[in-house]
Amino acid sequence: MEVLIFPTEEQEPEEVDIASVVQSLIGAIPATDLSLAEMQEERRHKYETAD
């Protein structure tokens, strides 16, 4: 058995609302004055003592 599928109409790509994407990310990245090394040390300490 062979199945052939033909599109009946072309679909336009969905538009991306950049403002809503940015809004969803606000707060996802903490605002901090720590360096990367300081953040790593903070996380390491947090999860080592979580036991």
Side-chain angles (χ1 to χ4, degrees), residues 3 5-6 8-9 14-15 22 24-25 27-28 32-34 37 39 43-45 48-49 51:
V3 177
I5 300 174
F6 297 99
T8 57
E9 62 184 62
E14 291 183 28
E15 289 187 27
V22 171
S24 72
L25 293 174
T32 180
D33 293 335
L34 298 176
M39 281 192 274
R43 297 279 184 206
R44 186 175 6 262
H45 177 70
E48 285 177 354
T49 59
D51 295 330

Side-chain angles (χ1 to χ4, degrees), residues 2 12 16 28 32 36 38 40 42 45 47 49-50:
E2 186 174 327
E12 294 291 324
V16 177
T32 180
L36 180 58
E38 290 169 324
Q40 289 172 336
E42 179 183 282
H45 177 70
Y47 292 109
T49 59

